[in-house]
Amino acid sequence: MYWLIRHGAKVLNNAISAGTFPLQQQFKELTNTIRQLNNNFEEQHKSLKELRDEVNKHHDELIEHKNRIENLESDKK
């Protein structure tokens, strides 16, 4: 009797595993895709931050140039 129950449970477990195998594979692929998207997002976020910093630097330089030009023009008068 014990063997019959144990064997039945084993067969049922194998059937469930075989039936859910495609779903398990899809979950693995989905997990990998999410990781890749997350890595891409982090890279893009880093690139955008670098770009923002560069734009801010150039903006500050433009303000400095504008102030110099204004000072030169006022000295010229």
Side-chain angles (χ1 to χ4, degrees):
M1 187 68 161
Y2 173 76
W3 179 87
L4 186 60
I5 293 172
R6 189 164 178 209
H7 181 68
K10 217 181 224 185
V11 168
L12 181 62
N13 189 31
N14 287 341
I16 291 171
S17 292
T20 60
F21 182 75
L23 184 60
Q24 292 172 10
Q25 292 303 109
Q26 288 177 346
F27 275 128
K28 285 180 186 177
E29 290 175 15
L30 180 60
T31 300
N32 288 336
T33 301
I34 290 170
R35 282 186 185 136
Q36 289 173 352
L37 289 173
N38 190 37
N39 288 339
N40 289 342
F41 176 77
E42 288 174 1
E43 288 174 17
Q44 288 179 352
H45 183 72
K46 181 180 174 186
S47 295
L48 284 173
K49 184 185 179 323
E50 290 172 356
L51 180 61
R52 189 179 302 121
D53 292 344
E54 190 69 22
V55 167
N56 285 337
K57 176 184 166 192
H58 286 290
H59 178 260
D60 292 343
E61 289 175 355
L62 284 172
I63 290 175
E64 287 179 20
H65 288 300
K66 178 184 174 234
N67 289 338
R68 285 184 194 160
I69 290 170
E70 288 175 352
N71 285 339
L72 285 172
E73 287 177 346
S74 68
D75 287 346
K76 187 177 171 183
K77 291 180 182 178

